[in-house]
DNA sequence: AATTGTGAATTCCTTCACAGCC
DNA sequence: GGCTGTGAAGGAATTCACAATT
């Protein structure tokens, strides 16, 4: 087990591998090779082995990986064996959709608080029975409820303020849906999902179809999740 | 103007620059330097100049870039000067949120069709007055309405089928919200926004706070948008 | 024989540093 | 003096290729 820094590209992939292993386990598969796993995602098999090698030696030469065992390792690595408490700030259409989104692993993430600054909304319950609270209570509730993760689903103009407040309250991990660059304090991780940028970047590829890769072969080129601007340092 | 391949990281950044230029233009700024722009995003100024240099020489030495002029160039480069017609497939919570999302540039993207396979939903209108149609009509409507972009907001199990159908109908650009890897046909661009992976990857950084970058300095390391697994080729 | 784990090679991306221009 | 555009350098991520292992 090494202690090099692990890039976000790697952690994203680990999550994808995990999803696949869940399916394989459900289907009753005993083992899987890096090659077979790689095929599922148009990835190189060495990539998968390298990703896993950051954390240990989980495979068996000549055999591959035991599905259930590797699944457990990934759960552990990604910190999904403990349930984390999540708040959503901004309960408009997007916030509501996130609150009801069935895709989050509910064993690992429990949404326990919703906040909105619109007084007309406070007290209203979502489908799950959770009541919307005033943003005035943000700090208090986050502390009392031991909330570790926040999703920001407010307009861009309000996002910075929200980040400050939840940081103040001790939140260390933020999934930001506001289309704005946020500058978190040290020790706070912000991951932005920018729908505007995703769509506009797609538009580019409509105008330049050939820029996708090459000649008929779909290279599946860098299609997925989670890089902001690639910013690597503090500018010049 | 070069004709090298432009990476998706670059197009994502162009979209971010554009958003900033919109704000600058609204605030009445005449010019902006790459350095000043870079500061907004914790980016290196050379990065910005390089990104722009793929498409032309837009700046003036000693001065910087004319805000409005550069804005127009970016609109053109990203293909945002023409209005593109968009369909949303899957009108659950997420699809509804997307249909009503105020952050999309409505001058460039017009949502003109909503599809859902639940008969109980067909005919229902969203806030904007758009009626939900049966997925049976997917292909016909996409062709007749000249739809160029589709957003997939159906469960993972249905996403592959939807991709096939919209590809059949001629859609070349897809924003996929289903948590699954899709294998598009050549010439079709799929960009996946994987909420599950975003959240699980955040979880990793909660367990490994130091892996974020270094000692107190927030490096803003690779925080943003839009890489799948980094897949670069067709495996081995 | 099959498959892992990994050093070396490669490819891609970012940053430096400075000539050229305003 | 200030800023762009860019070749060269540096760094990061991916892929190759093979020794090691079952």
């Amino acid at each position: 087990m090494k202690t090099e820094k692990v890039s976000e590209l790697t952690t994203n992939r680990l999550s994808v591998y995990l999803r696949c292993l869940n399916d394989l386990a459900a289907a009753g598969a005993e083992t899987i090779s890096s090659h077979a796993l790689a095929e599922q995602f148009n990835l190189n098999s060495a990539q998968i082995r390298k990703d896993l090698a950051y954390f240990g030696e989980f495979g068996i030469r000549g055999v591959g990986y035991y599905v259930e065992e590797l699944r457990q390792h990934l759960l552990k690595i990604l910190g999904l064996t403990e349930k984390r408490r999540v708040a959503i700030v901004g309960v408009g259409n997007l916030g509501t959709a996130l609150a009801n989104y069935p895709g989050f692993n509910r064993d690992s993430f429990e949404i326990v608080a919703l906040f909105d600054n619109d007084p007309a909304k406070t007290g209203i319950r979502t489908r799950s029975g959770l009541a919307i609270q005033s943003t005035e209570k943000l700090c208090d509730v986050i502390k009392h409820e031991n909330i570790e993760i926040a999703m920001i689903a407010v307009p861009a103009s309000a996002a910075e303020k929200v980040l400050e407040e939840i940081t103040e309250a001790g939140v260390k991990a933020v999934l930001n849906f506001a289309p704005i660059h946020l500058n978190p304090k040290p020790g706070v991780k912000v991951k932005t999902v920018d729908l505007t940028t995703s769509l506009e970047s797609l538009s580019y590829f409509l105008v330049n179809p050939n820029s996708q890769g090459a000649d008929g072969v779909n290279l599946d080129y860098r299609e997925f999740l989670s890089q902001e601007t690639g910013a690597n340092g503090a500018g010049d």
Side-chain angles (χ1 to χ4, degrees), chain A:
Chain A
M1 159 90 121
K2 308 166 187 177
T3 22
E4 293 174 45
K5 253 191 299 177
V6 174
S7 100
E8 195 156 338
L9 291 168
T10 295
T11 57
N12 286 339
R13 282 190 298 259
L14 292 180
S15 169
V16 171
Y17 304 158
L18 174 58
R19 185 155 61 214
C20 190
L21 289 166
N22 288 337
D23 295 346
L24 286 166
E30 287 279 315
T31 63
I32 182 90
S33 69
S34 60
H35 184 86
L37 201 52
E39 275 185 345
Q40 312 256 337
F41 314 114
N42 294 11
L43 269 187
N44 183 292
S45 65
Q47 177 84 85
I48 292 179
R49 297 196 299 275
K50 274 261 159 80
D51 284 338
L52 297 175
Y54 285 116
F55 301 98
E57 305 199 357
F58 305 132
I60 296 167
R61 288 159 204 243
V63 177
Y65 302 86
Y66 285 109
V67 170
E68 185 54 30
E69 189 192 313
L70 184 56
R71 201 176 82 82
Q72 295 299 332
H73 279 300
L74 289 179
L75 284 170
K76 188 82 184 170
I77 291 165
L78 289 169
L80 303 173
T81 50
E82 288 175 60
K83 191 173 278 194
R84 315 219 167 258
R85 297 166 72 77
V86 178
I88 297 175
V89 188
V91 194
N93 280 287
L94 189 55
T96 306
L98 293 171
N100 295 313
Y101 185 65
F104 297 130
N105 172 353
R106 299 294 163 151
D107 290 340
S108 308
F109 303 101
E110 186 177 10
I111 295 166
V112 297
L114 306 175
F115 298 96
D116 202 290
N117 69 355
D118 180 354
K121 285 183 186 164
T122 61
I124 291 177
R125 287 171 191 282
T126 57
R127 200 188 299 169
S128 56
L130 203 58
I132 299 171
Q133 305 182 66
S134 163
T135 23
E136 286 167 20
K137 298 188 191 163
L138 203 54
C139 196
D140 283 352
V141 174
I142 286 174
K143 284 179 184 166
H144 283 116
E145 293 276 357
N146 295 311
I147 289 167
E148 293 183 278
I149 300 177
M151 300 190 192
I152 297 180
V154 302
S157 57
E160 197 118 45
K161 181 101 186 306
V162 168
L163 178 60
E164 270 174 41
E165 290 177 5
I166 61 184
T167 299
E168 172 84 14
V171 167
K172 294 275 184 288
V174 178
L175 199 52
N176 171 47
F177 292 87
I180 186 176
H181 174 87
L182 295 175
N183 258 313
K185 293 220 161 56
V188 178
K189 175 75 187 168
V190 172
K191 206 158 159 150
T192 294
V193 175
D194 191 327
L195 302 178
T196 307
T197 290
S198 301
L199 190 58
E200 295 191 347
S201 183
L202 256 191
S203 171
Y204 174 84
F205 288 94
L206 270 182
V207 182
N208 306 81
N210 49 333
S211 64
Q212 250 190 86
D215 335 290
V217 183
N218 188 297
L219 289 182
D220 202 20
Y221 186 76
R222 314 226 135 186
E223 160 212 333
F224 217 41
L225 243 203
S226 249
Q227 302 280 105
E228 181 169 1
T229 43
N232 210 349
D236 43 40

